[in-house]
Amino acid sequence: MNNCLFCKIIAGDIPSTKVYEDEKVYAFRDINPQAPTHVLVIPKQHVTGMSGIDEADDATLAACLRACKKVAELEGLTENGFRVVSNCGDHACQSVHHLHFHVLGGHQLTENMA
Ligand code: AMP
């Protein structure tokens, strides 16, 4: 999508620090990390967010969640644990309207989810 920040990152038009990539997914470090490890996992196909998905996106979603686990392994998070978050819409403060999963870890995360 033309004006989408994350589509530009996938295309290489905006620089990013790659952590993982496969046919369907790209993962890179968040520019404003909220934890020692903060990686964004995004589908290469543009999807606006959780509210924009349907059955046609099942394979994309599965690839994203598998990639979250892969990122956690690559970043050494699986032993102590990690969190996966996807913000959707205004109340969740979604700021980039391309589906993404935050993979957070590397220290004790708080119990407060909201
Ligand atoms: P959200 O607020 O859930 O939509 O998450 C968007 C995330 O994208 C935020 O955590 C931002 O820090 C991150 N972000 C914005 N621009 C960039 C960029 N150029 N490179 C890496 N992460 C970015």
Side-chain angles (χ1 to χ4, degrees):
M1 202 185 215
N2 276 351
N3 253 338
C4 170
L5 173 68
F6 285 174
C7 286
K8 288 179 184 168
I9 284 178
I10 292 163
D13 296 337
I14 291 176
S16 64
T17 304
K18 180 166 88 172
V19 174
Y20 173 77
E21 182 174 17
D22 64 30
E23 185 193 336
K24 290 185 181 299
V25 172
Y26 186 70
F28 57 104
R29 297 203 187 281
D30 196 292
I31 204 168
N32 182 24
Q34 304 297 310
T37 298
H38 187 171
V39 175
L40 298 172
V41 172
I42 63 175
K44 288 184 176 176
Q45 177 192 331
H46 182 86
V47 180
T48 53
M50 282 297 222
S51 58
I53 61 175
D54 58 29
E55 285 95 341
D57 300 309
D58 282 358
T60 300
L61 287 169
C64 285
L65 291 177
R66 255 198 310 275
C68 289
K69 183 201 169 199
K70 182 72 181 170
V71 165
E73 288 172 348
L74 291 170
E75 295 290 307
L77 302 179
T78 51
E79 187 180 341
N80 288 323
F82 59 98
R83 181 171 289 160
V84 177
V85 174
S86 186
N87 295 318
C88 182
D90 291 344
H91 275 191
C93 304
Q94 181 181 7
S95 61
V96 180
H97 294 273
H98 180 128
L99 178 65
H100 52 281
F101 297 86
H102 299 257
V103 179
L104 299 148
H107 69 181
Q108 179 64 57
L109 301 166
T110 64
E111 288 182 1
N112 187 358
M113 298 284 282

